[in-house]
Amino acid sequence: GRYVEVPETDRAWLRGQLQAVRDTHGVPVIVIDYAPLKERAAAREIAAKIRADGFVPWVSNGALDLLGVGSLEVQPRRIALLTDLSDDTDMQYSTAYRLLAMPLHWLGFTIDPIDVRGELPANLLQGRHAALVTWFSRAPAALNPAYADWLQRQIDGGLRLVMLHGAAVDLNSALARELGLSRAAPGSGALRVERQDALIGFEAPPPLDARAAAGVQLAGAGDSLLRLRAPSGATLDPVALTPWGGYALAPFTIRQPALDNPARWIIEPIEFLRRAIGAPAFPVPDVTTEAGRRLLLIHIDGDGFVSRAERPGTPFAGEALLTDVLQRYKLPHTVSVIQGEIAGNGLFRDLSPALEDIARRIFALPHVEIASHSYSHPFYWRRLQKKGAAGAGESAYPQALNLMLPGYSFDLKAEIGGSIDYIDRTLAPADKRTRVFLWTGDTAPPAEAVALADAAGVLNMNGGDTLITRSQPTLTVVSGLGLRRGGGLQVFAPNQNENVYTGNWTGPFYGYQRVIETFELTETPRRLKPVNIYYHTYSATKAASLNALHRVYGWALAQPLVPVYASDYIRKVLDFHRMAVARDWRVERPTWRVAGDGELRTLRLPAEAAVALAASQAVAGAAPGPGAQYVHLAAAAASVVLGAEAPAAVHLRAASGRIEDFARSARGIRFTLATYSKPQFTLAAARGCSVRIDDRIVAPAAVRGEEQDHELPAVEPAASPRRHVVDVRCGA
């Protein structure tokens, strides 16, 4: 039960026996050794010694229930996010998740959300979690009597701790003293800044009223990022990085300027979390980009399909959407309908034949992907599940919880599987089926609803509150990628729809054009989101809202984007949560191996990183992007070797779609470009190279030094991408 040093005589004898087995019989030998989780560096050194002796190492803990270190060391990418929910708050809308999901996801971590009031997980010390991150508004020990001992075990086991907002430990406790923290009395009056790191004052300055200050002092090892002096003479350290992680305590995390404005970060959240978690700079799976270009997805919630457009003839909104938008912009679209709006058993039964005919014509378009927006459009999913919608047109709440369909009582199966079955039987053409379910209303489905969508064989999306604009330029309103619900994942829409840009559809009705600000602010200085044109059918009813849509589409068409369906993006987010990233210690050059489902094809590295493309495997190229280097993968599994190479090998700088079947030889490279849009790509280090596309020699459209641009005539998108074989031959 203890970790002890093996005597050298024993080690030498065992080494001789194992070498004989290996050399005499040609049998590979795996050597298992032991180190606790908190001694990861020691485990790495032990594995290196075993490898130097010619054996395959595996260094785990004594119980062998730890994801250990071997020839490959898997990078832990899970974060346990611990917070205190109130009874009526969904995790999606908790302060912790709203503020921290995007920074953690952008850093490459997935999130296990945990309500401290419930059962605490027992499996955080298995090496899969990079850190425990907390955001509390109340003392956690008062909410769960098992919490204090549980937290002590996690820290003793070596898990890093990052405390935000409220302290995760009692500052008067022995654990606080062990962490090098002590309580200080701020008193009253104005605080004086003695030290302020560049990470402090990111979107708002730190408050200097001693009465509100966190009374904490860093007495042990660490780096105080904000040191304040109280009028009493006491020293305060409310933000610090420590050997065990770090902390930033209220009111030095966020600042609320006014009730009608979003909060502002006082700390720079991404860099603070990166440094506090202390993970190496691993290649981050990135869902915003394909082959060096930002993604574009378009999805439409079915609300208002039956509304009348304000124009001569007053056509249905669905008809106006078809003629004014979908037939004009032949880009991949994911379009949904609400069964209760258009079906014969819905609200408008007399209009149903005409409405269903419009829906059939929309779904027959080759560039439209079919989605369901439910049966009764739940506005409050959790309330409906808890109370049930009182049937026959009555509501259990003062406000309606869903569309008041005659004789209908809320049923999750009818909302999800039933609406999908209705669309597939009644509206979909013979060669198409529903691919996506788009959450409605508060977009806070219970875990059972996500499980039903998975069981129906469809992907799900919607939720998240990304609404950053030039009047609200704060990262506090940029959401993460999604939320684990039970055994499934709710995927968030990359940004919000026109409803929130138009005063909840009260005006100004041209307001959605401001989504361009959101697109620009989520591109620089960091690419945080793809471009997502997201609106409701009722946007086709007014001249102002239609003009706003045309402006947004025009902006998108002028950018070098990769159009995809919502289902393509959703699968990338799912792959983000499943992908494994591991350091390969068998080679001298820094090498990372990744393995996923093959849907996510981009890794993000620091801007200064260089990739040895010729030495890497299943890597088609790399391109600089906003504050980062984007690496293009060509398969589900790849090996990325870091470091400059001279001369640089010919590679793909950027392309308008996915790269498949990539191969590199002494003559050049060969790959398949799968794209819904105009086939385009740029080659780098391509001096003296000729290009064949689909067995036809194609001259470059433009040449800039050693870069070549190539393109083919545009074709209309279809349900599946079109594939073009590209053969690049260089030299004699």
Side-chain angles (χ1 to χ4, degrees):
R2 296 180 297 113
Y3 297 92
V4 296
E5 189 72 17
V6 175
E8 178 57 35
T9 53
D10 292 359
R11 184 162 40 238
W13 179 86
L14 184 58
R15 183 188 299 115
Q17 302 301 310
L18 298 179
Q19 287 172 342
V21 169
R22 181 195 63 199
D23 298 341
T24 303
H25 303 289
V27 176
V29 175
I30 298 173
V31 172
I32 300 175
D33 213 322
Y34 307 93
L37 173 64
K38 59 185 176 182
E39 296 182 11
R40 198 71 170 181
R44 211 170 284 130
E45 293 176 3
I46 295 169
K49 291 178 181 179
I50 295 171
R51 194 163 47 250
D53 285 335
F55 308 127
V56 179
W58 183 252
V59 184
S60 184
N61 61 351
L64 291 175
D65 59 1
L66 169 70
L67 186 62
V69 178
S71 296
L72 301 179
E73 180 182 355
V74 174
Q75 171 60 46
R77 291 185 51 232
R78 296 174 72 168
I79 295 291
L81 178 60
L82 201 60
T83 190
D84 52 325
L85 291 182
S86 57
D87 289 335
D88 59 350
T89 301
D90 182 76
M91 181 64 74
Q92 177 184 174
Y93 296 109
S94 68
T95 302
Y97 208 84
R98 283 192 302 104
L99 298 184
L100 298 180
M102 183 281 290
L104 290 171
H105 285 152
W106 195 86
L107 288 167
F109 299 108
T110 67
I111 301 172
D112 293 332
I114 303 165
D115 182 356
V116 71
R117 302 173 306 162
E119 184 177 355
L120 298 170
N123 62 346
L124 295 186
L125 299 177
Q126 294 182 338
R128 293 176 171 85
H129 288 83
L132 172 63
V133 177
T134 68
W135 184 291
F136 292 124
S137 59
R138 296 168 288 179
L143 301 174
N144 189 331
Y147 168 78
D149 290 341
W150 176 85
L151 181 63
Q152 181 79 59
R153 290 195 301 273
Q154 311 314 308
I155 294 173
D156 289 345
L159 191 66
R160 292 182 71 86
L161 172 65
V162 182
M163 301 187 296
L164 293 164
H165 204 63
V169 300
D170 181 351
L171 293 178
N172 293 318
S173 67
L175 177 56
R177 292 191 294 274
E178 179 185 326
L179 297 177
L181 304 178
S182 63
R183 186 179 291 280
S188 61
L191 300 168
R192 186 175 77 250
V193 177
E194 291 195 346
R195 180 171 187 264
Q196 181 172 324
D197 189 86
L199 294 183
I200 310 299
F202 175 55
E203 295 175 346
L208 297 179
D209 184 349
R211 291 171 299 178
V216 61
Q217 188 176 71
L218 183 62
D223 180 15
S224 176
L225 301 184
L226 180 63
R227 176 154 290 171
L228 305 172
R229 181 74 64 179
S232 64
T235 299
L236 307 178
D237 299 297
V239 185
L241 297 170
T242 65
W244 44 265
Y247 64 89
L249 301 183
F252 301 98
T253 48
I254 58 172
R255 193 168 190 172
Q256 189 77 45
L259 291 177
D260 57 347
N261 284 315
R264 301 288 195 269
W265 280 108
I266 294 172
I267 60 171
E268 204 283 33
I270 294 176
E271 182 62 17
F272 175 82
L273 285 167
R274 186 189 69 79
R275 291 166 63 180
I277 292 169
F282 61 89
V284 172
D286 190 286
V287 303
T288 69
T289 304
E290 185 82 63
R293 293 185 177 183
R294 195 179 184 189
L295 293 176
L296 165 67
L297 63 147
I298 306 167
H299 76 289
I300 304 171
D301 288 351
D303 308 49
F305 199 95
V306 69
S307 299
R308 295 288 185 171
E310 298 172 1
R311 68 178 72 173
T314 61
F316 292 117
E319 183 77 42
L321 174 72
L322 172 62
T323 58
D324 288 19
V325 180
L326 297 176
Q327 290 178 342
R328 177 172 177 174
Y329 300 107
K330 295 183 178 179
L331 297 164
H333 284 74
T334 301
V335 183
S336 68
V337 293
I338 302 168
Q339 179 183 350
E341 267 200 350
I342 71 171
N345 62 348
L347 289 176
F348 306 100
R349 300 183 180 190
D350 293 343
L351 302 176
S352 177
L355 296 171
E356 289 185 335
D357 176 69
I358 297 168
R360 291 189 191 98
R361 286 185 282 139
I362 289 175
F363 291 154
L365 293 174
H367 58 283
V368 166
E369 174 178 75
I370 302 175
S372 169
H373 203 41
S374 80
Y375 176 34
S376 72
H377 194 288
F379 301 125
Y380 303 97
W381 285 85
R382 295 167 71 239
R383 288 188 189 178
L384 278 166
Q385 185 194 32
K386 185 176 181 180
K387 299 288 186 180
E394 298 180 0
S395 175
Y397 286 84
Q399 74 270 44
L401 300 184
N402 57 343
L403 297 180
M404 306 310 292
L405 303 177
Y408 173 65
S409 294
F410 180 72
D411 178 10
L412 275 178
K413 292 182 179 179
E415 296 294 336
I416 299 169
S419 66
I420 292 167
D421 183 60
Y422 158 74
I423 293 171
D424 288 345
R425 283 187 297 102
T426 310
L427 307 178
D431 59 344
K432 282 187 181 181
R433 288 295 178 265
T434 304
R435 287 186 179 179
V436 177
F437 189 91
L438 298 173
W439 301 111
T440 63
D442 65 358
T443 64
E448 295 87 339
V450 176
L452 284 171
D454 291 342
V458 300
L459 302 162
N460 79 85
M461 191 171 74
N462 274 354
D465 286 310
T466 296
L467 191 58
I468 185 172
T469 59
R470 301 206 186 283
S471 60
Q472 297 181 344
T474 170
L475 294 184
T476 63
V477 289
V478 181
S479 295
L481 301 178
L483 173 63
R484 294 187 193 275
R485 294 195 184 272
L489 183 79
Q490 176 189 353
V491 176
F492 292 163
N495 58 258
Q496 280 283 38
N497 54 56
E498 85 284 41
N499 195 47
V500 295
Y501 293 87
T502 59
N504 293 323
W505 201 241
T506 62
F509 295 109
Y510 56 80
Y512 189 56
Q513 63 190 22
R514 294 196 66 192
V515 76
I516 295 172
E517 298 176 26
T518 305
F519 298 156
E520 292 172 342
L521 291 171
T522 53
E523 170 71 354
T524 56
R526 296 182 177 100
R527 183 176 293 163
L528 303 175
K529 296 285 181 180
V531 173
N532 176 205
I533 301 176
Y534 170 26
Y535 56 97
H536 298 86
T537 308
Y538 56 66
S539 262
T541 62
K542 297 180 181 294
S545 53
L546 262 177
N547 287 336
L549 279 180
H550 292 320
R551 183 171 180 182
V552 172
Y553 274 90
W555 180 91
L557 289 170
Q559 313 302 313
L561 305 174
V562 175
V564 296
Y565 289 107
S567 61
D568 297 309
Y569 172 76
I570 295 167
R571 282 191 285 265
K572 289 180 186 297
V573 175
L574 294 174
D575 204 359
F576 171 89
H577 284 78
R578 298 167 181 159
M579 182 171 278
V581 179
R583 177 70 187 268
D584 191 339
W585 294 106
R586 295 171 297 183
V587 290
E588 292 185 7
R589 302 175 72 177
T591 301
W592 292 88
R593 294 187 180 273
V594 297
D597 297 337
E599 302 293 342
L600 190 158
R601 298 293 188 100
T602 295
L603 300 176
R604 179 169 22 86
L605 291 169
E608 65 276 9
V611 181
L613 296 166
S616 300
Q617 296 177 0
V619 175
Q629 188 80 216
Y630 292 85
V631 181
H632 324 325
L633 304 183
S639 174
V640 182
V641 181
L642 303 184
E645 59 185 0
V650 61
H651 61 276
L652 199 70
R653 176 72 75 201
S656 62
R658 171 176 293 193
I659 306 304
E660 301 173 345
D661 305 322
F662 178 83
R664 181 180 294 279
S665 68
R667 297 187 307 170
I669 58 175
R670 182 182 175 91
F671 61 89
T672 298
L673 173 61
T675 179
Y676 297 111
S677 61
K678 183 176 183 177
Q680 296 175 322
F681 59 90
T682 298
L683 299 172
R687 187 181 297 275
C689 298
S690 62
V691 175
R692 286 179 174 268
I693 305 177
D694 299 332
D695 284 329
R696 293 186 294 116
I697 295 177
V698 177
V703 177
R704 297 177 305 281
E706 293 192 351
E707 287 194 354
Q708 297 181 8
D709 294 337
H710 291 269
E711 62 181 43
L712 291 177
V715 293
E716 293 187 3
S720 299
R722 289 180 169 82
R723 289 172 167 79
H724 304 273
V725 178
V726 180
D727 191 3
V728 181
R729 300 186 181 186
C730 306

